[in-house]
Amino acid sequence: MKIRSLVCAAALIYTGNLFAQETNLVKYVNTRQGTNTKYEFSYGNTYPATSLPFGMNTWTAQTGKNGDGWKYQYFEHTIRGFQQSHQCSSWVNDYAVFSLMPVTGKLVVNEDERAASFSHDNEIAQPSYYKVKLDNNITTEMSPTERGAHLRFSFPKGKASYLVLDGYTKMSEVKIIPAERKITGYVNNCRWAPKDFRNYFVIIFDKPFVNYGTWENKKNTLVAKNQTAEGEGVGAYIQFKDGETVQAKVASSYISPEQAELTLNTELGRFKSFDDTHKAADKVWNQLLGRMAVEGGTEDQKATFYSCMYHANLFSHQFFEYGKDGKPYYYSPYDGKIHDGYMYTDNGFWDTFRAQFPLNTVLHPKMEGQLVQALLDAQQQCGWLPAWSFPAETGGMLGNHSISLLADAWVKGIRTFDPKKALEAYYHEATNKGPWGSANGRPGWKEYYTNGYVPFTPQTLGSTAWTLEFAYDDFCGYQLAKLTGNKFYEEVFARQMYNYKNLFDTKTRFMRSKDAQGNWIEPFDPMDWGGPYTEGNAWHWTWSVFHDTQGLINLMGGEKNFTAKIDSVFTEPGTIKVGGYGQVIHEMTEMAEFKMGQYAQGNEPIHHLLYMYNYAGQPWKAQQHLRDVMDKMYNAGENGYPGDEDEGQMSSWFVLSAAGFYSVCPGTDQYVIGSPLFKKMTIALENGKKFVIEANNNSKENVYIQSATLNGKPYTHNWITQADIMNGGVLHFEMGDKPATNRGIAPEDRPFSLSKAQ
């Protein structure tokens, strides 16, 4: 889709201890970015979430059936509800969902029959505001608070005006209180939570009820005038006078009905009208988006950047609420008890440790401090560090990446937790296998410690990927132990962090799999997906040595061989070989679609690869490829991503890359330099300082860094530190259309690696 040109009027807004230029940046954001997605092919697997940053819930139009993970698909033409949602991946569905659907004419409750057609031409999809005029002339508008939303339904004049509340799947309860123009209740649809899990909601309307009743969505039976019902899929309906315009304030709580009422009053009580809520939500988003203020570039580039920045600031969701005393407390999705403090959830760290959480350390260090402490609280409540929470631990994907978040926070000065407790929790994780999925504890941990790798068997699919990410996680444990003077754990993890070497085949120069006796598994084809690799093949996984790229260079026989191998990722044909999967999966078709050989930006294992040129004396190749990927694989439209957006990771890659640097190795304080997308970016920090990235003569052709200065002094390094950013200042680049092959090639210009060059 094309993004129309915008004229932005600036206003000076005071935000805490910093000034930010508030512009109408929400107009650049298209929350439908990446929604033209199917099971077979993902352009993002997103939905148009109307939400405040990191809100406890979001609100979205619903085109899919109740229980369907694909809740909004751009190519669909009917809407069957407007739902409270929490979903961070179509592959895990959603939880704590209920929906509202306006109906005109005859009362219809069945989700298929009540669905109303619409056109995207009659839709506005922004972070702070969603509006759609259905083809039946009902207009629905939504604007969010952190734990609720304000909705407005405008019915056509002279037509009946109904609102249907759908209890979604599993058990629900509704109580209709006509005298107070209110509905309360709960839903408990959830896969990963204690048995007593409930999402309590309260909805208050500004117009009286003409009629009402309850219904259930299994057989779609109605009970007129009934005020209370409980059971599977129970819902409610209410009728207003014909042609009414109705506002609804909604809030929810995982703690109690009383807390839901309190939240409704505290978050929505001060807003007299829908427009007031909308204005407040606009302000929140404009201030946040304005904290990465860009200059130069095209309108489409700005739209892509700010749409990605929106997605980068949705997850993790807050899972805490504020009591009468104004202090945070929460229902734990891990032990089902009430605790004081902060809790965050809805995140798969295998995706997001790479860029989304490092971006938090720059933009939201205070929140990141709360979040990493919450990891240890969660570990106390369920016995394991979270790896993929939704809202409790699912054990999805692979690796023990909580330690990456903890080490990255500590090395960057965010020290809100006890490092000894963190190391103890991680050691338990690394020497046990938990009861859930392959990322809960460590499958094959005994063999990993004994042999230095996880052997490949029919029971250990993904073993090579596991070994590589275990080695990186052990580096993070080593880093945290070393920085905090814990000699015991430093020595323990120092022995394991080089285990990646045990699966490198010097003959093929790929990471491969071995059996328990140390023999290479044959036959071997680097294009085969699956088997010992998770959602990829050897071309994708060989590079997963974030902490010791120089060590990998040494294994490959030096820089020339290493850079030639990266070059080959792009020159190899984009052939799909299903390998151990036995069938085509969507990540394969996405790789082939973009015609960049075996380069697969649509999935996380290869996200850092381009930056590895900086470690081997050819940074200009990183600069060229990065701009190529940003230009060809991302846009602000419905086909906006090269694969699953994954809780902000795909977007955070773009946001950081557009700034001109990327977190190749979280757990160190360095970011590796790429090629900034804009002429200028000003990052407003929580500490009141500003870090400015300037790229003079930047253009689509001028992607190569010719020279650089940091705060006016010549700068040849291919990396900057967290302190460089947080102290404020100016990183200035001179850009050109030809590589500067003599810049940034000295040993001291290379980013961090454990090993030295041989």
Side-chain angles (χ1 to χ4, degrees):
M1 67 179 281
K2 271 288 182 186
I3 306 299
R4 287 174 293 179
S5 297
L6 303 162
V7 179
C8 299
L12 196 63
I13 301 294
Y14 183 70
T15 57
N17 62 348
L18 61 93
F19 283 89
Q21 289 287 332
E22 185 188 359
T23 60
N24 199 13
L25 295 176
V26 293
K27 297 295 184 182
Y28 280 111
V29 179
N30 176 26
T31 64
R32 295 170 303 189
Q33 182 189 27
T35 57
N36 194 31
T37 291
K38 299 180 181 180
Y39 175 91
E40 300 83 5
F41 193 102
S42 173
Y43 282 112
N45 256 334
T46 58
Y47 56 93
T50 306
S51 170
L52 290 190
F54 311 104
M56 194 171 83
N57 50 60
T58 72
W59 282 80
T60 182
Q62 174 192 354
T63 65
K65 290 180 177 289
N66 287 352
D68 187 352
W70 284 264
K71 61 173 69 252
Y72 179 101
Q73 292 171 298
Y74 190 85
F75 55 83
E76 294 287 359
H77 303 294
T78 61
I79 290 174
R80 61 186 67 216
F82 300 91
Q83 63 171 234
Q84 186 188 98
S85 54
H86 311 82
Q87 182 171 290
C88 46
S89 170
S90 298
W91 307 104
V92 294
N93 211 297
D94 205 347
Y95 71 89
V97 181
F98 60 93
S99 68
L100 299 171
M101 182 62 186
V103 175
T104 189
K106 179 184 176 183
L107 173 62
V108 180
V109 294
N110 181 291
E111 64 168 313
D112 296 319
E113 296 173 7
R114 74 181 187 234
S117 60
F118 76 108
S119 167
H120 293 299
D121 292 338
N122 295 321
E123 189 180 37
I124 299 172
Q126 298 168 356
S128 46
Y129 179 63
Y130 178 89
K131 178 182 180 180
V132 63
K133 184 177 182 180
L134 303 171
D135 291 346
N136 60 16
N137 289 321
I138 298 176
T139 297
T140 296
E141 300 166 275
M142 302 187 290
S143 197
T145 64
E146 286 187 332
R147 294 160 190 82
H150 207 149
L151 296 89
R152 182 162 62 192
F153 304 98
S154 301
F155 293 90
K157 293 185 182 297
K159 295 288 188 72
S161 306
Y162 294 97
L163 194 66
V164 176
L165 188 158
D166 194 320
Y168 209 63
T169 58
K170 296 191 176 181
M171 290 289 290
S172 57
E173 179 191 61
V174 293
K175 294 180 180 178
I176 305 170
I177 311 171
E180 300 179 33
R181 304 190 304 277
K182 182 188 293 186
I183 301 176
T184 64
Y186 75 81
V187 291
N188 78 340
N189 46 83
C190 195
R191 289 175 66 185
W192 292 284
K195 290 182 179 180
D196 62 350
F197 172 84
R198 289 182 176 182
N199 180 31
Y200 300 98
F201 60 82
V202 55
I203 312 171
I204 188 165
F205 301 90
D206 70 337
K207 299 294 171 63
F209 305 165
V210 172
N211 206 344
Y212 57 85
T214 61
W215 70 290
E216 53 77 34
N217 61 24
K218 304 304 176 185
K219 297 181 180 180
N220 297 303
T221 55
L222 289 78
V223 184
K225 296 296 185 182
N226 192 36
Q227 294 186 9
T228 303
E230 186 175 18
E232 274 199 76
V234 159
Y237 68 87
I238 49 179
Q239 183 179 5
F240 304 95
K241 76 175 186 179
D242 292 356
E244 188 66 279
T245 295
V246 183
Q247 295 187 43
K249 293 180 177 180
V250 188
S252 65
S253 168
Y254 302 115
I255 295 172
S256 68
E258 294 77 19
Q259 179 60 46
E261 294 268 8
L262 176 62
T263 297
L264 184 77
N265 291 331
T266 55
E267 289 195 0
L268 286 150
R270 60 194 174 94
F271 301 126
K272 292 183 178 180
S273 71
F274 174 88
D275 294 329
D276 292 336
T277 309
H278 177 196
K279 184 178 179 181
D282 265 356
K283 182 177 179 180
V284 170
W285 274 110
N286 279 324
Q287 288 176 352
L288 174 53
L289 297 172
R291 291 185 58 200
M292 297 186 81
V294 302
E295 300 176 34
T298 66
E299 293 297 288
D300 284 347
Q301 286 174 329
K302 292 175 184 177
T304 303
F305 176 78
Y306 284 117
S307 294
C308 284
M309 192 174 172
Y310 146 79
H311 275 120
N313 285 276
L314 289 178
F315 303 99
S316 301
H317 285 146
Q318 298 175 15
F319 207 76
F320 59 89
E321 304 168 47
Y322 293 102
K324 292 179 180 178
D325 58 2
K327 295 181 180 179
Y329 74 133
Y330 61 91
Y331 164 89
S332 170
Y334 300 101
D335 67 8
K337 298 177 181 178
I338 306 298
H339 300 268
D340 292 330
Y342 299 94
M343 181 55 62
Y344 292 84
T345 189
D346 299 347
N347 209 307
F349 300 156
W350 179 77
D351 302 302
T352 51
F353 84 85
R354 305 162 196 267
Q356 199 266 336
F357 284 103
L359 179 61
N360 280 351
T361 68
V362 174
L363 289 181
H364 312 290
K366 181 180 179 181
M367 182 189 74
E368 189 71 0
Q370 297 168 354
L371 195 147
V372 290
Q373 175 57 50
L375 295 178
L376 298 183
D377 293 339
Q379 197 270 347
Q380 291 296 304
Q381 292 158 21
C382 79
W384 303 89
L385 285 168
W388 220 113
S389 56
F390 188 65
E393 174 60 7
T394 72
M397 296 311 293
L398 63 152
N400 312 119
H401 298 312
S402 278
I403 191 61
S404 174
L405 275 61
L406 290 158
D408 197 49
W410 194 272
V411 77
K412 293 174 178 175
I414 301 170
R415 299 179 175 179
T416 54
F417 60 93
D418 183 337
K420 185 172 184 292
K421 289 183 178 179
L423 289 164
E424 290 170 348
Y426 175 61
Y427 182 74
H428 173 262
E429 201 82 14
T431 56
N432 289 280
K433 174 64 190 81
W436 313 292
S438 57
N440 180 226
R442 277 187 180 170
W445 68 269
K446 291 181 181 179
E447 293 82 358
Y448 173 79
Y449 278 98
T450 303
N451 301 334
Y453 63 92
V454 181
F456 177 66
T457 71
Q459 290 73 45
T460 57
L461 298 178
S463 59
T464 298
W466 293 350
T467 300
L468 294 172
E469 299 214 347
F470 292 168
Y472 162 70
D473 289 333
D474 286 343
F475 162 75
C476 291
Y478 161 84
Q479 276 282 84
L480 183 58
K482 184 178 180 180
L483 289 168
T484 57
N486 194 317
K487 292 295 183 182
F488 173 77
Y489 286 117
E490 180 183 346
E491 292 175 4
V492 167
F493 299 124
R495 292 194 294 268
Q496 270 64 245
M497 61 186 178
Y498 294 102
N499 278 352
Y500 70 90
K501 296 181 179 182
N502 298 323
L503 292 183
F504 185 79
D505 176 13
T506 55
K507 183 179 179 181
T508 64
R509 293 177 182 155
F510 284 107
M511 294 292 178
R512 293 183 56 186
S513 60
K514 291 180 177 178
D515 62 21
Q517 288 71 46
N519 303 305
W520 295 117
I521 300 294
E522 301 288 357
F524 170 69
D525 185 336
M527 288 190 183
D528 278 346
W529 285 59
Y533 309 102
T534 300
E535 295 182 359
N537 62 28
W539 281 108
H540 310 143
W541 275 98
T542 293
W543 316 101
S544 290
V545 189
F546 317 100
H547 57 297
D548 196 17
T549 300
Q550 184 60 54
L552 183 59
I553 293 170
N554 295 343
L555 288 176
M556 287 197 182
E559 294 176 358
K560 184 177 179 180
N561 289 340
F562 181 79
T563 54
K565 193 76 168 182
I566 303 179
D567 293 343
S568 296
V569 173
F570 294 91
T571 58
E572 284 290 310
T575 305
I576 296 173
K577 293 189 177 181
V578 297
Y581 280 104
Q583 62 180 356
V584 174
I585 61 174
H586 73 92
E587 288 89 353
M588 299 174 188
T589 55
E590 292 147 18
M591 180 195 76
E593 171 72 15
F594 289 97
K595 296 178 174 55
M596 289 190 180
Q598 289 292 311
Y599 185 77
Q601 178 70 16
N603 210 13
E604 279 69 22
I606 215 164
H607 274 193
H608 65 295
L609 170 63
L610 299 180
Y611 289 91
M612 283 183 151
Y613 280 117
N614 286 280
Y615 296 74
Q618 295 187 359
W620 60 90
K621 287 185 178 178
Q623 295 156 23
Q624 181 264 315
H625 281 303
L626 285 163
R627 292 287 286 273
D628 204 27
V629 169
M630 283 189 271
D631 179 54
K632 294 180 179 178
M633 293 193 179
Y634 288 81
N635 61 72
E638 61 274 9
N639 298 339
Y641 294 102
D644 284 351
E645 202 283 320
D646 287 330
E647 308 91 60
Q649 167 59 27
M650 197 70 69
S651 293
S652 296
W653 183 95
F654 187 91
V655 169
L656 286 174
S657 294
F661 52 85
Y662 184 74
S663 47
V664 170
C665 186
T668 71
D669 66 347
Q670 289 186 359
Y671 299 87
V672 182
I673 290 174
S675 177
L677 183 60
F678 297 99
K679 179 181 178 181
K680 184 178 181 180
M681 179 184 292
T682 302
I683 304 176
L685 304 165
E686 276 187 356
N687 61 15
K689 298 179 181 180
K690 293 181 179 179
F691 186 69
V692 180
I693 303 104
E694 297 175 344
N696 191 40
N697 295 321
N698 202 1
S699 69
K700 187 174 182 179
E701 294 74 30
N702 293 353
V703 303
Y704 299 105
I705 296 172
Q706 306 297 300
S707 63
T709 59
L710 180 62
N711 299 327
K713 297 179 180 179
Y715 196 77
T716 60
H717 298 330
N718 294 322
W719 47 270
I720 57 171
T721 67
Q722 180 83 0
D724 291 332
I725 298 171
M726 303 310 286
N727 289 338
V730 179
L731 178 62
H732 179 90
F733 298 108
E734 290 292 329
M735 308 298 290
D737 62 357
K738 296 197 170 42
T741 56
N742 292 322
R743 184 193 172 275
I745 59 174
E748 61 269 21
D749 294 328
R750 315 292 170 91
F752 169 86
S753 286
L754 280 171
S755 298
K756 302 298 181 184
Q758 293 179 350

